[in-house]
């Protein structure tokens, strides 16, 4: 089991000291969230909390994730960074791949790309893209990122993207692993078919077991059951030794670690100081990682 520290919706000035403290404490990676903006009006519901409300996001801070990862990577030496998760289909894949490979190279291959499809139609509207067809664009973005990341000439043609033969220089010495989020059948199938891993948005262990069984079935269908595959998941079992062992037996490779009072799905601002957050990370590491 590897352990992940998160910076979701915390004071952005905490990012660097949290990353440094997590590295020192033995965490494997820092998870970085993504949110572009908060719309004044929306009829959409959020699919990953119980009541579907989105208001908890209104006053929460978000830094553009690649900029956040580059900043934290410059202040650390070994800890990894991954987006959890980045809204891929609303970004142009050529520009995004240039940004991604730049951060991966400068960080010494310490970047992992967790991706999903935004639940908000407003995200697509704001960047001039249709909500319809986002799934196809999602798949094509992954193909384009992988093609351009090789450093060789790559071209692509579809109804969504027309890319003549081009190459990026430089590119990182290792491909950036792509972890795919989503709890529905489409997201689980995409993770099994295209992903180097899957990122859960959080659930009970029982629900996690059901989703992992579906992913395993899909991976067998695609002949990928023997391909290395990361599973990032945090449940109620992530905070006891026996629970962590149970998750490991289920195939979970990464789980979030740390203690604290801050509820990112709540409407209240983060009540914890930087000192408290670092103490909570260290206490978790002393209890479980050691």
């Amino acid at each position: 089991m590897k352990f992940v520290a998160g910076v979701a919706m915390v004071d952005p000035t905490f990012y660097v000291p949290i990353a440094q403290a997590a590295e020192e404490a033995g965490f494997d990676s820092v998870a970085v969230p993504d949110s572009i903006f908060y719309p004044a009006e929306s009829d959409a519901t959020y699919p990953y909390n119980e009541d579907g409300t989105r208001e908890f996001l209104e006053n929460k801070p978000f830094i553009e994730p690649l900029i956040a990862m580059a900043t934290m990577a410059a202040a650390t030496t070994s800890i990894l960074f991954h987006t959890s998760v980045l809204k891929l289909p609303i970004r142009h894949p050529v520009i995004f791949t240039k940004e991604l490979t730049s951060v991966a190279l400068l960080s010494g291959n310490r970047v992992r790309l967790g991706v999903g499809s935004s639940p908000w139609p407003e995200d697509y509207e704001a960047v001039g893209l249709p909500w319809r067809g986002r799934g196809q664009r999602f798949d094509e973005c992954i193909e384009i990122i992988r093609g351009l990341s090789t450093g060789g000439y790559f071209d692509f043609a579809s109804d969504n993207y027309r890319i003549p033969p081009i190459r990026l220089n430089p590119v990182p010495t290792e491909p950036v692993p792509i972890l795919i989020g989503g709890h529905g059948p489409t997201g689980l199938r995409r993770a099994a078919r295209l992903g180097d891993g899957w990122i859960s948005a959080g659930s009970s262990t029982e629900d996690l077991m059901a989703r992992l069984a579906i992913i395993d079935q899909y991976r067998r269908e695609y002949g990928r059951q023997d391909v290395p595959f990361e599973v990032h998941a945090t449940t109620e079992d992530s905070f006891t030794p026996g629970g962590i062992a149970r998750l490991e037996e289920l195939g979970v490779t990464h789980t979030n670690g740390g203690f604290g009072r801050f509820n990112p799905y709540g409407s209240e601002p983060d009540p914890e100081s930087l000192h408290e957050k670092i103490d909570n990370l260290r206490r978790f590491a002393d209890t479980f990682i050691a």
Side-chain angles (χ1 to χ4, degrees), residues 172-252:
T173 57
E174 299 175 5
V176 176
I178 298 178
L179 316 172
I180 297 176
H183 283 183
T186 301
L188 299 179
R189 183 178 287 277
R190 179 177 287 116
R193 178 168 54 91
L194 298 176
D196 298 303
W198 174 65
I199 297 184
S200 169
S203 69
S204 69
T205 300
E206 299 306 315
D207 287 343
L208 173 66
M209 290 174 61
R211 292 180 182 122
L212 289 178
I214 293 171
I215 291 175
D216 287 344
Q217 176 185 336
Y218 288 153
R219 292 186 72 213
R220 288 192 296 271
E221 287 182 18
Y222 293 113
R224 302 188 73 222
Q225 64 271 24
D226 296 324
V227 176
F229 192 80
E230 293 184 5
V231 174
H232 292 234
T234 301
T235 76
E236 69 277 6
D237 279 327
S238 299
F239 304 96
T240 65
I244 290 171
R246 182 185 182 198
L247 292 177
E248 200 167 21
E249 290 174 0
L250 292 174
V252 175

Side-chain angles (χ1 to χ4, degrees), residues 54-75:
R54 65 187 181 95
E55 283 72 21
F56 72 93
L57 288 165
E58 183 171 8
N59 296 308
K60 301 288 175 42
F62 289 87
I63 296 295
E64 199 288 322
L66 292 184
I67 292 174
M69 291 195 294
T71 302
M72 290 185 285

